[in-house]
Amino acid sequence: MLGCTKARPGGTLHSAAHTGPGCGVNDLPSPQPVQSLLLFGATGDLARRMLLPSLFGLDVDGLLPEGLRIVATARSSLDDASFRAMTETALGKALEAERLKPAALARFLERICYVPLDAAKPDQFQKLAAAVDATRHPVATFLSTAPSLFRATIAGLAACGLAGGTARLALEKPLGTDLASSRDINDAVAEAFPESRTFRIDHYLGKETVQNLLAMRFGNSLFEPLWNAQHIEHVQITVAETVGLEGRLDYFDGTGSLRDMVQNHMLQLLALTAMEPPAQFDASPIRNEKVKVLRSLRRIGQDTAASHTVIGQYRPGAIAGMPVSGYVEELGRASDTETFVAIKAHVDNWRWKGVPFYMRTGKRMPSRQSEIFIQFRGVPHSIFAHRGAVAQPNKLIIRLQPEETIRLLMMTKQPGLDREGVRLREVPLDLGAVAFADVRRRIAYERLLLDLIEGDPTLFVRRDEVEAQWEWIDAIRQGWVANSMTPRPYAAGTWGPSAAIALTERDGVTWRD
Ligand code: BG6
């Protein structure tokens, strides 16, 4: 039981590692750190912008296992030297110059070798197996490739001996385009990797504030008694981006915001917000609670898709004073793909009876803003009303972007003698902003890669969660088809079509912009 009592470096929320009854049960992977990390899609955008900079960040902080070797692979016919040069350029773009100390850089590049490989050709996997020294096990493979290559890659790994024993597999989204295709992928994975060694990535779970949501909810006695329909009026989850297609037209067109953002990131945020207290901060208890929420989501289908969802597509407009093109102009052809979606959802259980969860996400919004907003109910009776003061209901804002903060808006008395009546003011209480001001905020992938290397699946998504997410999303898409819904236009640089405003205003709720 190597590692059962190992203290985990750098973990913020980690319980005393895998102690207690969970340790050793068969849904927990071997906690041995991996010695080889295989990176598929190593020349791709994600690897260059996120994965390699994250691995470098971990290395600089001494968090990678001493002998860890990174075996990068992609189709491009590069050699070690040219891949290392590409890595150096990528790090230069992604990180501040002062973090790229020559000695640290040299040590990191030394860990990397490159094996050109066409995943569709099974015979090429032997080269990969040869690059993983027999002494450098366990191995973790990170698939950052098109899902169409998953099946062939997994079969190749299994055939060359890189799937058995303690080998782990991490998969990047998209994990399918609907429930059926997601099951296909999951079945292909399951043929070679048991669930305990499968790490499905949702990079939102690696964000510090997302984990802080759990610390706030379950590390304090203050919030939990109020965290229910009796005290919370509604919840808003917004993930607004200013970017447009960013050269990802092949992927995004035909995918759309519902499948790109809601199916994964936003439903995970909703599940963490709504879930019951898990018994422990560990993989099974957390994922058990999340999946219960996902399965309690009220189905939105043919009858309710038109009243509970709004879809939009951006037209030309301006963001921060700069003109930007519309979606179809960027794409170069007509399209019915939504770049904005707003949804009124419900979690049908005792805790959340009657509480709407409004979600919206969009490209080309006025600002980059991602947050979970909890609107509490007002005081039952205002003792200040006859003195002209209004007590606003409390609000909690868990902000993921652009900065990571948690802010509670409270009513306080404005100082003074109150000769003209009592004046109350809404004042923010910032949790953590000052206490952790000097702590470097890590890239979400740093946390996830380290957890993969160390074998902690807590912040990864289990198969039943992904499938519950797809089931809910598929019904919405069927509802759109049944109602012949197509995206409504909105100008780039605005908060989506006006129908999205009407979606909440009907309930007397205003989106927090
Ligand atoms: C990705 C989506 O999963 O998340 C992108 O495919 C989106 O379309 C991105 O831009 C947003 O991530 P973040 O961390 O920048 O909010």
Side-chain angles (χ1 to χ4, degrees), residues 173 203-204 207 239 241 243 246 248 251-252 260-261 264-265 363 368 370 401:
K173 72 179 259 279
H203 79 274
Y204 268 54
K207 290 184 190 274
V239 178
E241 300 182 281
V243 293
E246 284 192 303
R248 298 161 79 218
Y251 159 71
F252 191 85
D260 182 43
M261 297 296 286
N264 36 68
H265 311 321
K363 304 271 184 206
R368 183 165 192 243
S370 302
Q401 264 140 206

Side-chain angles (χ1 to χ4, degrees), residues 230-285:
Q230 204 187 332
H231 299 285
I232 291 179
E233 189 206 68
H234 75 266
V235 176
Q236 296 182 22
I237 302 178
T238 294
V239 178
E241 300 182 281
T242 52
V243 293
L245 268 176
E246 284 192 303
R248 298 161 79 218
L249 38 143
D250 284 344
Y251 159 71
F252 191 85
D253 194 56
T255 298
S257 297
L258 182 72
R259 290 187 281 186
D260 182 43
M261 297 296 286
V262 181
Q263 187 275 336
N264 36 68
H265 311 321
M266 298 191 75
L267 285 183
Q268 284 291 320
L269 295 181
L270 184 148
L272 290 167
T273 306
M275 74 182 187
E276 297 299 315
Q280 278 174 307
F281 185 73
D282 264 323
S284 291

Side-chain angles (χ1 to χ4, degrees), residues 120-131:
K121 301 201 171 122
D123 54 314
Q124 300 203 349
F125 280 79
Q126 280 311 330
K127 288 190 294 183
L128 205 59

Side-chain angles (χ1 to χ4, degrees), residues 407-426:
R407 172 173 281 195
L408 183 61
L409 297 182
M410 311 261 303
M411 296 313 292
T412 52
K413 178 185 167 300
Q414 207 159 303
L417 299 175
D418 305 333
R419 311 290 290 166
E420 275 125 37
V422 178
R423 277 185 293 167
L424 299 180
R425 207 166 84 196
E426 201 173 52

